[in-house]
Amino acid sequence: MTKAGIVTVAGFPNAGKSTLLNRLVGEKLAITSSKPQSTRHRIVGLRTEGQAQMVILDTPGLLEPKDSLHSAMRNAALAAVRDADVLVHVVDATIRVPESFQLAAQLEQAPRAQLVLALNKADLLTPGQREVLAESHPHGVFISAASGDGIEDLVAAITDRLPVSPYLYPDDDISTQPVRFFCAEFVRETALEQLGDELPHALACEIEEFREGSSPLYIRAVLHVERDSQKRIVIGANGQQIKKLGRSAREKIERFVGQPVYLDLWVKVLPNWRKNRSAVLRLGYGDPNTRA
């Protein structure tokens, strides 16, 4: 008898949700960054093991919307919470643990999904801190998404709560999203790594052309920024920064697709795109005006 269902990973920014998705799937699907709010989309990963299949949704961090982009991100997170069979509430165990997911997400009512509390970054706790948390949250699962500690216990807790169901996807798939989506994310991740604190939230990546069957695989990608001054930073003196960024991003994409890639990378100004509903929609972040 098989089990299968939607497992939504949710929590505050920088709790380690994307690292956990990658750990559960065994493949780097979600970009990771020390900068908060790096996850903007609902990332889908598939884990099929034994008699259980998890359709894992990594979500943007729960936050108070400040612009159209934030509103779309929160909508994406709350829609994934609504769709979940199992909700994994990931918290940074080194800071105060919220009393409940409902309070953390500022929801009017508790989610219908069965809840698993994942106390992440447990490897950074002292024995005394761990003991206090174990007493106050006896059903929490201590994990380290970075090292893999406690992941087997978390998988067991999730599997116990999955509904009985046939598999929802082929058992050798790792995601439901197209390759070009992940290529855009790898470009954006590289930009987050290489550029200063001024730019991360103003950056978006759009794949304008993706020639399947070409050798090398041709990808034309555009990094959108909001101001001319930001464009100059991304390009750098004599174009050195954009060359460095493109080289690193291409290497990531080649590892992911398993073939040579020609990455044709451009930078364009899309003024104040984060506040513009049409731009947010165009870039694939969803409708900020649609209530989740």
Side-chain angles (χ1 to χ4, degrees), residues 38-215:
S38 58
T39 300
R40 292 176 175 171
H41 299 271
R42 181 165 80 171
I43 313 295
V44 184
L46 302 175
R47 176 190 173 106
T48 306
E49 185 178 59
Q51 295 297 101
Q53 183 178 78
M54 302 177 190
V55 183
I56 308 165
L57 309 182
D58 180 26
T59 60
L62 298 169
L63 46 76
E64 278 296 316
K66 297 179 180 178
D67 51 38
S68 291
L69 175 61
H70 283 170
S71 295
M73 289 165 61
R74 180 170 173 83
N75 287 344
L78 295 183
V81 168
R82 181 193 62 217
D83 293 342
D85 295 298
V86 181
L87 176 62
V88 181
H89 182 195
V90 183
V91 300
D92 182 342
T94 65
I95 62 176
R96 187 181 69 83
V97 178
E99 294 180 22
S100 70
F101 182 81
Q102 182 179 352
L103 287 175
Q106 300 180 32
L107 301 178
E108 294 180 0
Q109 58 187 23
R112 69 167 184 86
Q114 296 200 60
L115 183 71
V116 178
L117 175 62
L119 299 166
N120 194 27
K121 307 182 186 180
D123 52 325
L124 303 179
L125 298 174
T126 66
Q129 290 171 325
R130 188 172 178 129
E131 183 178 350
V132 169
L133 269 179
E135 290 178 358
S136 60
H137 296 83
H139 301 297
V141 182
F142 288 94
I143 67 166
S144 169
S147 71
D149 292 346
I151 295 299
E152 290 185 7
D153 293 336
L154 180 63
V155 168
I158 295 170
T159 302
D160 285 346
R161 292 164 172 80
L162 285 175
V164 173
S165 167
Y167 290 163
L168 304 175
Y169 297 95
D171 59 9
D172 57 349
D173 285 1
I174 61 170
S175 181
T176 63
Q177 288 161 303
V179 171
R180 62 188 296 156
F181 168 81
F182 293 106
C183 294
E185 287 290 272
F186 289 138
V187 173
R188 189 166 64 87
E189 179 185 53
T190 307
L192 291 175
E193 293 169 349
Q194 294 188 5
L195 301 173
D197 291 337
E198 175 191 354
L199 281 175
H201 303 308
L203 285 166
C205 184
E206 182 179 27
I207 303 298
E208 288 194 335
E209 188 172 353
F210 188 91
R211 296 181 192 167
E212 291 187 89
S214 65
S215 183

Side-chain angles (χ1 to χ4, degrees), residues 27-28 31 178-191 193 205-207 209-211 216-222 245-265:
E27 180 82 31
K28 181 167 182 175
I31 69 173
V179 171
R180 62 188 296 156
F181 168 81
F182 293 106
C183 294
E185 287 290 272
F186 289 138
V187 173
R188 189 166 64 87
E189 179 185 53
T190 307
E193 293 169 349
C205 184
E206 182 179 27
I207 303 298
E209 188 172 353
F210 188 91
R211 296 181 192 167
L217 174 63
Y218 176 83
I219 302 170
R220 184 169 70 238
V222 175
L245 198 162
R247 184 166 54 249
S248 296
R250 175 181 53 79
E251 291 171 354
K252 291 181 182 181
I253 295 171
E254 287 180 336
R255 287 194 294 270
F256 185 74
V257 301
Q259 69 177 92
V261 169
Y262 182 90
L263 179 61
D264 190 6
L265 188 57

